[in-house]
Amino acid sequence: MRGLADDGALIYFEDQRSAPSADMLGDVVVLETDTDEVLVKRLLRGSRPGLYGLESIAGPTRRDARLRWAAHITAIIPPYQARRIITRDR
């Protein structure tokens, strides 16, 4: 999600992999769709229960997506700092 987390950034999230909860609506979260895509999107209410809108900063909103799980983001490390962390851990 360019502008929030550019290519090369590290995104830390709660690895709970449970169904989206009401407190996630309106927040940017990490999620997995029923088509195996893992994405970072703003989670919106869908047209009926079990469906969600997935809003992008720079693209169209995907409507009525089915999700396997969603998780709150706990930290985003910018690319420069991420490279330093990854290099240090080798």
Side-chain angles (χ1 to χ4, degrees):
M1 191 173 222
R2 186 172 290 262
L4 177 71
D6 293 325
D7 288 345
L10 289 175
I11 299 175
Y12 291 90
F13 61 95
E14 296 177 354
D15 193 15
Q16 59 195 14
R17 299 188 186 208
S18 55
S21 57
D23 68 323
M24 293 178 175
L25 292 174
D27 289 348
V28 176
V29 299
V30 176
L31 57 87
E32 182 179 23
T33 67
D34 66 346
T35 58
D36 299 326
E37 296 173 284
V38 176
L39 306 168
V40 176
K41 300 287 182 186
R42 183 173 311 281
L43 190 64
L44 305 174
R45 189 177 313 278
S47 66
R48 53 185 206 270
L51 299 178
Y52 298 90
L54 308 178
E55 184 180 67
S56 295
I57 289 177
T61 298
R62 188 181 301 188
R63 304 281 179 203
D64 289 339
R66 293 186 188 281
L67 305 182
R68 291 193 177 126
W69 56 265
H72 288 285
I73 293 173
T74 56
I76 298 174
I77 309 299
Y80 172 75
Q81 189 66 22
R83 283 191 300 275
R84 293 177 70 200
I85 291 168
I86 292 167
T87 302
R88 181 181 66 214
D89 289 343
R90 289 185 182 182

